[in-house]
């Protein structure tokens, strides 16, 4: 397990606390083939679940917290099977990604998507994000878990592929925490300012 900036990572299923392990076992099942790698990442966010989920669930607006997304277009209404065209900011080995919403559950707070096209090397990429309420320092907080499975490209090892994807997800989760925690502070101060 690697712990960095309050993010826990584990590709082999141990090193998480019991609650995290249970959520991963229950919600983060991937059918992993021989030429694929998989991992789960955990982030504790000092903001209530409803705020964090309001950002995560917006499949049509990933740029609200994902720093590498510059633009996103979804055709039609947002529903299971919806496809988004994402433009990626420079600095990454890609400019576009085509992604399909596979599952969205507002009660259980689960979002799953797959990458179905684009000019990158993430073939057969699938991810699941879940958010769970927890208490952090006596305040409402959120446990965010993101797991993925992806093909290992020719010329790369499983470790290299996992490391690259984990680095991207860590950036996204840190940004999600920063945005959510800013919103939580605004949420708490607004009623005081109205007095």
């Amino acid at each position: 397990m690697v712990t960095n900036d309050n993010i826990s990572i584990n590709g082999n299923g141990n090193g998480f606390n019991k609650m995290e392990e249970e959520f991963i076992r229950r919600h983060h099942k991937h059918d992993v083939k021989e030429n694929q790698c998989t991992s789960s990442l955990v982030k504790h966010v000092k903001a209530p679940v409803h705020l964090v989920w309001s950002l995560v669930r917006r499949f049509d607006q990933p740029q609200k917290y994902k720093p590498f997304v510059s633009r996103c277009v979804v055709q039609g209404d947002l529903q299971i099977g919806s496809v988004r065209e994402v433009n990626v900011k420079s600095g990454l080995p890609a400019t576009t990604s085509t992604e399909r919403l596979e599952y969205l559950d507002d009660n259980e707070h689960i979002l799953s998507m797959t990458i179905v096209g684009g000019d990158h090397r993430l073939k057969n990429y699938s991810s699941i994000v879940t958010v769970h309420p927890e208490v952090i320092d006596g305040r409402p907080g959120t446990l965010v878990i993101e797991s993925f499975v992806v093909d290992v490209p020719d010329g790369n090892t499983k470790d290299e592929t996992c490391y690259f994807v984990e680095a991207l997800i860590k950036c996204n989760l840190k940004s999600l925490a920063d945005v959510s925690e800013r919103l939580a502070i605004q949420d708490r101060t607004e009623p005081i300012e109205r007095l």
Side-chain angles (χ1 to χ4, degrees):
M1 180 181 77
V2 180
T3 302
N4 183 352
D5 193 27
N6 198 18
I7 297 177
S8 304
I9 306 170
N10 201 309
N12 61 9
N14 57 28
F16 295 117
N17 71 36
K18 290 264 188 272
M19 183 179 65
E20 293 165 354
E21 281 180 9
E22 178 58 25
F23 287 136
I24 290 168
R25 189 188 62 73
R26 195 180 318 157
H27 301 296
H28 293 264
K29 295 182 180 96
H30 294 282
D31 180 22
V32 185
K33 295 177 177 56
E34 183 57 39
N35 67 326
Q36 294 182 316
C37 71
T38 184
S39 186
S40 299
L41 293 87
V42 168
K43 177 76 175 162
H44 299 273
V45 181
K46 294 179 180 177
V49 164
H50 74 275
L51 278 180
V52 178
W53 180 244
S54 73
L55 294 167
V56 171
R57 77 171 308 279
R58 291 305 302 263
F59 181 77
D60 56 336
Q61 295 183 355
Q63 67 273 25
K64 284 192 175 278
Y65 75 91
K66 290 188 176 185
F68 302 114
V69 175
S70 61
R71 186 169 170 266
C72 175
V73 177
V74 176
Q75 302 298 325
D77 295 334
L78 183 63
Q79 58 191 359
I80 305 301
S82 290
V83 174
R84 68 183 179 194
E85 295 290 336
V86 173
N87 290 7
V88 180
K89 290 182 180 172
S90 62
L92 287 178
T95 56
T96 63
S97 182
T98 307
E99 303 167 355
R100 183 174 59 230
L101 180 62
E102 299 294 344
Y103 188 75
L104 179 66
D105 186 327
D106 282 316
N107 295 320
E108 292 285 328
H109 299 136
I110 304 168
L111 182 143
S112 175
M113 56 78 72
T114 56
I115 294 180
V116 295
D119 64 344
H120 50 72
R121 300 179 74 202
L122 298 179
K123 302 295 180 230
N124 293 313
Y125 181 92
S126 176
S127 75
I128 300 169
V129 181
T130 60
V131 302
H132 313 273
E134 67 175 353
V135 176
I136 302 173
D137 301 331
R139 294 182 177 272
T142 303
L143 167 65
V144 182
I145 303 173
E146 183 161 355
S147 63
F148 70 90
V149 63
V150 67
D151 287 2
V152 176
D154 289 340
N156 289 92
T157 66
K158 286 186 180 185
D159 284 348
E160 289 167 340
T161 305
C162 264
Y163 184 81
F164 173 74
V165 178
E166 287 168 355
L168 290 178
I169 292 174
K170 278 199 284 187
C171 287
N172 288 341
L173 291 177
K174 183 182 184 319
S175 178
L176 174 63
D178 291 345
V179 173
S180 300
E181 288 165 6
R182 251 195 326 272
L183 288 171
I185 289 168
Q186 291 169 2
D187 244 20
R188 280 202 289 272
T189 57
E190 277 177 10
I192 296 167
E193 291 169 359
R194 286 192 204 124
L195 295 177

